Amino acid sequence: MTEYKQVTVLFADVVRSMDLAAAMDAERWQQIITSLAERSAAVARRRGDFTGDGVMAIFGAPKALEDHAFRGCQAALEIQESARRLAEDVRVHDGVDLALRVGVNSGEVIAGAVGSASLGYSAIGRQVGMAQRMESVAPPGGVMLSIATAQLVQYVASLGEPEWVQVKGADRPVQARRLLALTPRIARQISAESNFVGRRREMAVVESMMDKTVRGQGCVMLLAGPPGLGKSRIARESAARAAARGFKVTWAFGDAHRRDVSFGVVAGLLRSALGLDDLDLDSARAQVLARFPNACAQDLSLLEDLLGIADPGVPLPAIEPDAKRLGCRTCRARNPGDRLSRFCAAGSGQHDRHERGRENARSDAEISER
């Protein structure tokens, strides 16, 4: 069965592969290509649904993904990083330069079982070909995005200037942009959007929760819905209204492929609130210490571990995993008036409410299925 899907397609290929193959033993070349394909496939699978043979990956099929473009870009950068590590080994042992080109494009394709069952799940259509064209014009070691993909990730990515490139099969040049880095924080200034229309009931709930927050009643809202419903736009509109009322807005993002990482979203929220996103590890630890100068060493160690900035040379306190997860609450009990205690308690409460929301949502789904 085939169906139309909105997806992101990634292509990767070795630069000057024929020359490299001729420059070394066939068996060694096969080892390099096999390693490269396995690394690429592993990266793509970590980013969600993956279909391909190591040089082609599809994000958003068979399971729909609202962040398919972002995942495709993540995979592209990680594939390049993995290829660079392999290239260092190849340069030392074989004396040749190995490099990849990666191209990414987003759009509608026909996806499903193509041909006999042995051919498996794949996608066909003009957008697949455009992804391959983007790969052909990418610089060695770089990632080239079609303008369609660039528009989907423009708020969460650092992109090169738009450039016109000539691709095979096109009568005239097409626009493309280089992917330089991903910065998954739309707390940055966002360009003007079209007027927000509708969603009065949802926004009334948001306004009501803001009123409760002003009165000292903290709130957590869980917004759920199928891809394309407009959840991200509602979130941005809610943030804009909160900022207009004098709230300090902090953004955090949870990748779907990391949904099982405990406290993952809370850690991102705390990192953003503490201003650690663009700091190296030493600077981040110094900033946390400056923010909480009176906190005990064990509490700081646990917090640094939660934030992903712990010093690898300093062992963590010898406590059980469950106790580690409750470290923030323990900190609060020891120092009820300390700023670090209140900060961690807020994050812990957010996590607990989020988990209860997920459990309730699952229960509702189970009831509806029955």
Side-chain angles (χ1 to χ4, degrees), residues 8 78 113 130 140 164 172 222 248 265 271 311 316 330 343:
T8 290
E78 290 186 16
M130 181 57 70
W164 293 96
R172 60 186 65 183
L222 176 63
K248 180 182 177 182
V265 175
R271 283 180 61 89
D311 186 343
L316 289 172
T330 303
F343 202 69

Side-chain angles (χ1 to χ4, degrees), residues 297-310:
Q298 178 170 302
D299 291 340
L300 279 175
S301 179
L302 290 173
L303 179 60
E304 289 172 354
D305 181 55
L306 171 67
L307 298 174
I309 61 172

Side-chain angles (χ1 to χ4, degrees), residues 16 20 24 28-29 32 80-100 140-141:
R16 296 173 48 248
L20 295 179
M24 62 181 66
R28 173 58 178 159
W29 177 243
I32 293 174
Q80 284 290 22
E81 179 60 31
S82 179
R84 277 189 281 271
R85 292 195 295 268
L86 178 61
E88 293 176 3
D89 180 69
V90 172
R91 188 178 300 111
V92 171
H93 291 86
D94 304 284
V96 298
D97 293 325
L98 178 71
L100 279 187

Side-chain angles (χ1 to χ4, degrees), residues 262-263 266-267 270-271 274 276 285 288-289 292 295-311 314-335 340-341 343-345 348:
S262 297
F263 290 95
V266 173
L270 297 182
R271 283 180 61 89
L274 290 168
L276 309 181
R285 287 193 292 268
V288 170
L289 180 60
F292 309 111
C296 71
Q298 178 170 302
D299 291 340
L300 279 175
S301 179
L302 290 173
L303 179 60
E304 289 172 354
D305 181 55
L306 171 67
L307 298 174
I309 61 172
D311 186 343
V314 177
L316 289 172
I319 57 178
E320 295 296 324
D322 288 343
K324 183 178 178 182
R325 288 167 60 88
L326 297 174
C328 294
R329 298 171 198 158
T330 303
C331 167
R332 184 188 183 190
R334 284 200 302 267
N335 307 290
L340 176 57
S341 304
F343 202 69
C344 292
S348 178

Side-chain angles (χ1 to χ4, degrees), residues 15-137:
V15 179
R16 296 173 48 248
S17 59
M18 296 298 292
D19 294 339
L20 295 179
M24 62 181 66
D25 178 79
E27 184 176 350
R28 173 58 178 159
W29 177 243
Q30 182 183 25
Q31 292 175 350
I32 293 174
I33 291 300
T34 299
S35 177
L36 193 58
E38 290 175 347
R39 292 173 183 227
S40 299
V43 168
R45 288 191 180 96
R46 285 201 304 272
R47 293 302 168 194
D49 295 307
F50 167 75
T51 301
D53 57 6
V55 294
M56 174 185 172
I58 306 171
F59 301 87
K63 180 182 178 181
L65 299 170
E66 60 184 4
D67 60 344
H68 55 83
F70 180 70
R71 293 195 192 201
C73 290
Q74 280 185 314
L77 291 175
E78 290 186 16
I79 286 173
Q80 284 290 22
E81 179 60 31
S82 179
R84 277 189 281 271
R85 292 195 295 268
L86 178 61
E88 293 176 3
D89 180 69
V90 172
R91 188 178 300 111
V92 171
H93 291 86
D94 304 284
V96 298
D97 293 325
L98 178 71
L100 279 187
R101 290 190 180 96
V102 179
V104 182
N105 179 47
S106 304
E108 188 176 68
V109 301
I110 298 177
V114 179
S116 64
S118 62
L119 296 179
Y121 193 96
S122 188
I124 57 175
R126 186 175 65 88
Q127 305 302 340
V128 177
M130 181 57 70
Q132 194 167 21
R133 301 294 185 265
M134 289 296 103
E135 174 270 309
S136 68
V137 298

Side-chain angles (χ1 to χ4, degrees), residues 128-362:
V128 177
M130 181 57 70
Q132 194 167 21
R133 301 294 185 265
M134 289 296 103
E135 174 270 309
S136 68
V137 298
V143 179
M144 188 67 81
L145 306 183
S146 69
I147 200 65
T149 302
Q151 290 174 343
L152 291 174
V153 299
Q154 59 183 325
Y155 299 133
V156 294
S158 175
L159 304 175
E161 291 298 318
E163 53 186 287
W164 293 96
V165 295
Q166 186 66 54
V167 298
K168 182 179 179 181
D171 297 332
R172 60 186 65 183
V174 299
Q175 262 198 334
R177 300 184 71 174
R178 282 195 62 182
L179 174 64
L180 305 177
L182 287 174
T183 54
R185 301 183 302 277
I186 57 175
R188 293 182 171 186
Q189 182 66 35
I190 295 178
S191 59
E193 297 186 277
S194 59
N195 292 332
F196 189 71
V197 179
R199 301 295 183 188
R200 294 180 179 179
R201 184 175 68 85
E202 290 85 350
M203 297 314 300
V205 172
V206 172
E207 294 285 355
S208 174
M209 296 179 75
M210 290 184 193
D211 293 336
K212 289 183 179 179
T213 302
V214 170
R215 295 194 298 268
Q217 303 174 19
C219 302
V220 175
M221 180 175 69
L222 176 63
L223 178 63
L229 187 67
K231 300 184 294 299
S232 297
R233 180 61 198 275
I234 292 177
R236 294 196 297 271
E237 182 68 19
S238 300
R241 296 190 183 189
R245 295 182 58 170
F247 287 91
K248 180 182 177 182
V249 177
T250 301
W251 287 90
F253 295 82
D255 294 326
H257 61 276
R258 300 182 63 211
R259 67 183 64 186
D260 295 326
V261 177
S262 297
F263 290 95
V265 175
V266 173
L269 183 65
L270 297 182
R271 283 180 61 89
S272 181
L274 290 168
L276 309 181
D277 289 321
D278 298 318
L279 300 180
D280 57 43
L281 294 181
D282 291 337
S283 299
R285 287 193 292 268
Q287 178 133 322
V288 170
L289 180 60
R291 183 73 177 269
F292 309 111
N294 299 321
C296 71
Q298 178 170 302
D299 291 340
L300 279 175
S301 179
L302 290 173
L303 179 60
E304 289 172 354
D305 181 55
L306 171 67
L307 298 174
I309 61 172
D311 186 343
V314 177
L316 289 172
I319 57 178
E320 295 296 324
D322 288 343
K324 183 178 178 182
R325 288 167 60 88
L326 297 174
C328 294
R329 298 171 198 158
T330 303
C331 167
R332 184 188 183 190
R334 284 200 302 267
N335 307 290
D338 184 74
R339 292 174 66 197
L340 176 57
S341 304
R342 296 197 301 270
F343 202 69
C344 292
S348 178
Q350 293 273 19
H351 174 78
D352 291 342
R353 294 186 189 99
H354 175 67
E355 288 301 312
R356 286 197 297 270
R358 289 176 58 183
E359 290 298 331
N360 291 339
R362 281 194 289 267

